[in-house]
Amino acid sequence: MLTVNTVRWCALGLASCVAQTSLAADAVSGHNAESSGRRMLEEVVVSAQKVEQSSQDVPISLTAVSGDFMREVGATGLQDIAPYIPNVRFSSDTDPALAQINIRGFGSNPLNSAFDSSVGFVQDEVFFNRPSYYNEGMFDIARVEVLRGPQGTLFGKNTIAGVFNVTTKGPTEEFSADFRVNKTDPDEVSYEGGIGGMVTDWFGVRVAAQDISRDGQLHNQFLNRQDDEHEQNAQRLKLLFLPSENVSVELMAVTSETSANYWGLQLMNLDEGTTDFLKNYDPNIEDDPYNFTSSYDQDGFLDKTSDTLSLKTDWDIGPVGALNNLNMVLVLADTELTIDSLVDLDTSPANLAILEVVSDYEQQSAELRFSGTADNLFGIGSGVEFVVGAYFFDSRFSQQTQITAGSDFGAYLLTDDALQLVSGQTSVSSGGLLGGLNLAGIGLISDITGAAIGDDYLQLDYLLNVDAQAIFAQMTWALTDQFIITPGIRFSREQKVADASGAGFCQTAALGTPCLMELALSAEDYDERGLSRKETDVSPKLSFQYYLNSDSNVFLTYSRGYKSGGFNASSFGGEDLGFDPEEAATIEAGFKGEFFDNTLRLNAGVYQTQFDNLQVLAFNGAFFDVTNAASAISRGLEMDFVWLTPFEPLTIAGSLGLLDAKYDSYPNAPAPVTSGLNSNQDLSGKRIAFAPEQSASFTPTLTLPVFGLAMRASVDYLYQGNQFTDGDLDPNSYLEGFSQISARISIGAWDQRWALTLGGSNLTDEKVLNQVLDTVFFPGSYNARQKSGRKVFASLSFAW
């Protein structure tokens, strides 16, 4: 049971273990099929515990998705496969910078960059500590492993909700190549390809690239452009050196450039006064969040570049003393990420405020680990497998934020919205006086105040240096042929040093007059240098696993993790800059098994997670404060199956997630803006946002011969349950559950050297919101982010 297996991925499909299983339509071992004359589910091998293992032998909740499945469904990123994975949610289908991922209801709001992501991201064994990396290098994928729950023992800090562990393709023993072109309506074209193999006995290479051009679906009626237009091109080079029979060295370089119109929000729930004011700038202004129509006056944009260089050395040392085989892995990495963005902060046709953010991130890391096996431990048991190592991490993050008053900001000050924002009371009204003045002289007011205001902006500067180290160990000990125990532990140390400042700048500052933007945002000048915090953490893990027979087992696992504390990167006043680390402990029990001669795989698990000092963002009427909630708890179930039915052409796969995530104690939570700015409420016992009560998928796939070719047809039923999408649980952010249908049909060679696929997602064109947030300048109104509408695509792929 502890034997390391050769990785044999399904020819086409999605596979998983513990609480999830394969969704592959043809997850059949060709070798076994030929020798036994029957179909069999492929074995899936993963690296979820830093060593290659059969997925069915890993006592944690994970889902493994093959790159072939991603290409089959037309996925260009991780957000496109999330609907197939129970209790995993992405807050946006298209945002290239502010990726928010929630697993089992927990994640981190990216609107304040002080937060590290609660869901860790690892690609080719390199841990990336910024959520913007989720959109980088997602091409030429071999597999994606989604690990649920705290993964602190082996993957370290900031994996408190889980980990996305991505592996890309490398040089193969024989030279091979593949290419895919994908055309989608609404207009999107993507190209992806890779070529490589062993050039000599000691040297191999693989080159891969991706190019995406997307027109988008969100039409800006004011600027007559698509606000979610998106372009990305990326390249990856892998060089493999085999200096000796038992040593391999892989050098990898990845670069990516993204350019997008920004950002994809729509106005929602405008009151009469706000509507009248905005009609001065766009007579057709409306607040329907379901029509893919926006009305910004600013040409928002986002430019993002990243460059990563890594070196992985793998040394098969062999037998050493009582160890049967000792292996050493050293991973060194250096990466840089730059983001330059400008957005229309008021998301309206009035020129009220522009938000500009420029950030630079640098990271260096090193991991050294040893793994091996032994016949027993102290003469006890029938086998031992272990991994032990050390990790070193250093990063530097700098960000400059400017919020600049627009030419119409003076006119805005003569509105009830401005009165409410300054007073902090959303019920305050001028009785129509301000509205009358505004409508009577809107153009003149804008001209006069625009000239008087001049260059007026609030600037926030933030610099953060992180230095972290860790040692870790885990052992899988077979006490008997049936009973296995897996203890593990990680000790981490981290130090953060930050500089944070904020100041208003305007032409009247020398006269002692407060700057208008600073006044409107209730901001104050501050300058805090040398902020420092040191943290240590111990993250243990303990699993018990019992094999009922060779094809099924049950497990019980306890694990802990933490996400480090930090300092507010976007404070308006400089108060309460620091926030504490959050911790989580999970206990889960599960069953996984294969039945009917390995044609049915059924896995299920239940869990409970307790979070303490939960890190949250609280809307203060203008922006978001960083704070810690008291505690939260999540309980749920995850189950899925894949069945190679007795009717040989038909495979059925499905999954189910049930989620009950609540604040255990949160007495001073922010209340909706309609209750008054900066007002509080008690959310103890209430549901957490981004925690759908149910999620489910059901996929039948039919494979038939047609004129000597293979025809495959699949239909996906995808469901996501009721949920809130804002942390204050504002009723306006409540989304009803919804269903979506996707389908695809392909025809090609049986050996899959080529295939032509026609397909689509959200074929019934369901109008669904992904997120609803408060607006900055219009209290009681909202910004909504709409999920993608109907998409149809055609793709052609070749492999040789």
Side-chain angles (χ1 to χ4, degrees):
M1 295 175 186
L2 298 176
T3 303
V4 176
N5 299 282
T6 303
V7 178
R8 292 177 295 151
W9 288 100
C10 309
L12 180 64
L14 181 152
S16 55
C17 61
V18 181
Q20 289 73 47
T21 189
S22 174
L23 294 182
D26 60 344
V28 183
S29 169
H31 173 75
N32 291 336
E34 291 176 6
S35 60
S36 62
R38 61 184 175 85
R39 298 188 300 164
M40 295 178 63
L41 289 169
E42 270 281 7
E43 180 185 40
V44 178
V45 177
V46 295
S47 57
Q49 299 191 119
K50 297 287 187 177
V51 293
E52 291 182 350
Q53 295 175 281
S54 170
S55 63
Q56 295 297 97
D57 293 333
V58 182
I60 62 173
S61 179
L62 71 86
T63 297
V65 182
S66 76
D68 286 330
F69 178 79
M70 294 181 65
R71 287 180 281 274
E72 181 200 3
V73 299
T76 57
L78 298 176
Q79 69 279 357
D80 296 320
I81 60 173
Y84 299 88
I85 307 171
N87 292 340
V88 172
R89 187 192 191 283
F90 272 67
S91 64
S92 173
D93 295 338
T94 58
D95 199 308
L98 299 178
Q100 179 175 348
I101 305 95
N102 290 70
I103 296 181
R104 293 176 173 174
F106 296 109
S108 298
N109 193 320
L111 287 175
N112 192 308
S113 56
F115 275 163
D116 297 319
S117 176
S118 297
V119 180
F121 179 64
V122 177
Q123 188 173 66
D124 291 321
E125 301 216 42
V126 178
F127 171 74
F128 295 93
N129 199 38
R130 303 300 303 174
S132 296
Y133 277 102
Y134 271 94
N135 303 93
E136 304 297 280
M138 290 308 301
F139 61 98
D140 206 36
I141 301 298
R143 69 181 183 273
V144 176
E145 300 169 20
V146 183
L147 319 181
R148 290 179 179 79
Q151 299 296 326
T153 301
L154 293 179
F155 291 93
K157 73 185 187 78
N158 304 337
T159 59
I160 194 166
V163 172
F164 274 77
N165 186 25
V166 179
T167 302
T168 62
K169 295 180 181 179
T172 51
E173 186 174 350
E174 296 183 357
F175 221 77
S176 64
D178 54 76
F179 175 78
R180 186 179 188 88
V181 57
N182 199 86
K183 178 70 170 65
T184 303
D185 182 31
D187 197 17
E188 175 181 333
V189 179
S190 63
Y191 303 91
E192 178 183 337
I195 184 170
M198 297 303 297
V199 180
T200 68
D201 291 340
W202 58 270
F203 174 68
V205 61
R206 184 172 180 88
V207 179
Q210 179 189 58
D211 186 90
I212 300 174
S213 178
R214 178 186 302 136
D215 279 356
Q217 294 181 294
L218 182 61
H219 179 68
N220 187 320
Q221 65 184 16
F222 190 89
L223 296 175
N224 192 26
R225 72 165 195 171
Q226 302 301 103
D227 275 330
D228 54 345
E229 186 176 337
H230 177 104
E231 292 185 0
Q232 181 178 15
N233 61 81
Q235 302 84 40
R236 179 183 294 110
L237 172 66
K238 285 190 175 184
L239 303 178
L240 179 63
F241 301 91
L242 305 176
S244 69
E245 201 172 79
N246 57 351
V247 175
S248 67
V249 179
E250 183 180 79
L251 176 66
M252 183 184 68
V254 186
T255 183
S256 177
E257 295 184 1
T258 301
S259 178
N261 291 344
Y262 209 57
W263 55 21
L265 300 175
Q266 299 171 249
L267 288 171
M268 170 182 166
N269 201 38
L270 298 177
D271 61 31
E272 183 179 355
T274 305
T275 302
D276 289 341
F277 172 68
L278 294 181
K279 280 185 176 180
N280 289 286
Y281 307 95
D282 181 359
N284 298 316
I285 191 70
E286 45 77 35
D287 61 354
D288 180 1
Y290 295 97
N291 62 359
F292 289 106
T293 301
S294 64
S295 183
Y296 304 167
D297 68 295
Q298 295 297 323
D299 293 316
F301 68 86
L302 180 138
D303 292 322
K304 180 173 68 166
T305 61
S306 68
D307 297 286
T308 300
L309 185 66
S310 68
L311 181 70
K312 177 184 176 182
T313 301
D314 193 313
W315 178 19
D316 185 8
I317 301 173
V320 176
L323 302 179
N324 296 329
N325 50 75
L326 182 65
N327 181 263
M328 184 205 79
V329 174
L330 174 64
V331 181
L332 305 174
D334 179 272
T335 184
E336 298 181 2
L337 174 74
T338 299
I339 298 178
D340 183 6
S341 65
L342 180 149
V343 299
D344 190 328
L345 186 59
D346 53 277
T347 63
S348 81
N351 185 9
L352 304 186
I354 302 169
L355 173 65
E356 298 176 84
V357 181
V358 178
S359 64
D360 290 288
Y361 178 72
E362 300 175 7
Q363 170 190 309
Q364 295 79 41
S365 62
E367 178 172 306
L368 175 65
R369 67 176 185 268
F370 294 87
S371 61
T373 63
D375 293 333
N376 54 63
L377 183 64
F378 307 122
I380 302 175
S382 58
V384 175
E385 187 171 36
F386 72 89
V387 58
V388 59
Y391 180 74
F392 306 90
F393 175 92
D394 185 81
S395 70
R396 180 182 184 275
F397 175 71
S398 63
Q399 177 175 280
Q400 184 177 89
T401 303
Q402 282 191 6
I403 303 176
T404 304
S407 59
D408 299 321
F409 192 70
Y412 164 77
L413 295 178
L414 295 180
T415 65
D416 284 343
D417 285 318
L419 182 61
Q420 293 166 6
L421 190 65
V422 173
S423 68
Q425 300 296 321
T426 56
S427 60
V428 172
S429 173
S430 66
L433 176 61
L434 290 179
L437 290 174
N438 197 302
L439 291 175
I442 187 71
L444 180 60
I445 291 173
S446 293
D447 292 341
I448 295 175
T449 57
I453 292 173
D455 197 13
D456 187 303
Y457 62 92
L458 174 68
Q459 180 169 309
L460 307 175
D461 292 291
Y462 184 73
L463 174 65
L464 176 67
N465 291 283
V466 181
D467 180 35
Q469 307 85 35
I471 54 175
F472 59 90
Q474 180 171 295
M475 175 181 65
T476 302
W477 185 12
L479 297 176
T480 68
D481 288 341
Q482 292 177 289
F483 184 57
I484 294 175
I485 182 173
T486 304
I489 194 167
R490 186 185 191 101
F491 174 78
S492 303
R493 173 192 173 276
E494 180 182 76
Q495 181 173 9
K496 288 184 175 181
V497 179
D499 296 333
S501 63
F505 296 88
C506 57
Q507 60 189 18
T508 60
L511 303 176
T513 304
C515 298
L516 286 180
M517 183 54 66
E518 189 173 23
L519 182 64
L521 297 176
S522 301
E524 297 180 3
D525 291 357
Y526 67 95
D527 190 3
E528 298 289 343
R529 304 284 173 172
L531 298 168
S532 179
R533 64 181 304 126
K534 294 182 180 179
E535 299 173 358
T536 58
D537 176 77
V538 177
S539 295
K541 171 187 174 181
L542 182 61
S543 294
F544 299 96
Q545 197 170 17
Y546 184 78
Y547 282 80
L548 305 173
N549 52 53
S550 60
D551 294 324
S552 60
N553 64 82
V554 294
F555 73 91
L556 178 67
T557 297
Y558 170 83
S559 61
R560 281 192 57 233
Y562 91 109
K563 186 173 74 167
S564 58
F567 308 98
N568 193 344
S570 302
S571 173
F572 283 178
E575 69 281 350
D576 299 325
L577 282 174
F579 56 91
D580 296 327
E582 65 180 30
E583 299 178 349
T586 292
I587 185 167
E588 58 185 12
F591 165 84
K592 38 183 187 164
E594 295 174 345
F595 307 93
F596 308 136
D597 294 327
N598 199 17
T599 59
L600 171 65
R601 185 174 294 148
L602 175 64
N603 299 327
V606 294
Y607 73 91
Q608 175 174 299
T609 300
Q610 178 73 45
F611 269 76
D612 292 318
N613 284 329
L614 189 68
Q615 296 173 4
V616 296
L617 290 186
F619 186 69
N620 59 20
F623 215 66
F624 297 88
D625 292 327
V626 178
T627 186
N628 291 89
S631 60
I633 192 168
S634 176
R635 302 183 182 94
L637 174 146
E638 291 146 354
M639 178 193 72
D640 65 15
F641 72 93
V642 62
W643 183 27
L644 306 179
T645 69
F647 178 54
E648 186 167 329
L650 178 64
T651 298
I652 301 176
S655 65
L656 172 67
L658 302 178
L659 178 60
D660 180 23
K662 296 180 178 179
Y663 293 111
D664 189 30
S665 176
Y666 196 5
N668 295 310
V673 172
T674 51
S675 300
L677 302 181
N678 295 314
S679 60
N680 294 326
Q681 63 177 328
D682 187 354
L683 290 182
S684 302
K686 303 296 184 179
R687 285 173 52 194
I688 293 173
F690 299 112
E693 293 180 319
Q694 308 91 15
S695 56
S697 68
F698 183 77
T699 303
T701 300
L702 196 64
T703 305
L704 296 169
V706 176
F707 302 116
L709 300 175
M711 185 195 74
R712 177 191 309 278
S714 299
V715 177
D716 303 319
Y717 171 80
L718 307 171
Y719 178 78
Q720 194 172 100
N722 304 332
Q723 60 190 291
F724 288 92
T725 64
D726 200 357
D728 60 9
L729 306 189
D730 189 322
N732 287 284
S733 74
Y734 182 76
L735 304 182
E736 297 285 349
F738 63 92
S739 302
Q740 292 185 325
I741 303 294
S742 298
R744 54 208 168 270
I745 184 170
S746 67
I747 190 165
W750 283 95
D751 61 6
Q752 297 191 359
R753 288 188 176 273
W754 69 271
L756 174 64
T757 303
L758 302 176
S761 60
N762 191 13
L763 292 176
T764 56
D765 202 23
E766 295 293 321
K767 306 299 185 184
V768 177
L769 300 183
N770 223 345
Q771 191 171 16
V772 177
L773 297 169
D774 296 284
T775 59
V776 174
F777 291 106
F778 310 121
S781 298
Y782 301 88
N783 287 137
R785 189 188 300 274
Q786 192 172 354
K787 283 184 67 68
S788 297
R790 180 192 294 119
K791 290 184 178 181
V792 295
F793 71 88
S795 67
L796 181 62
S797 61
F798 292 93
W800 62 90

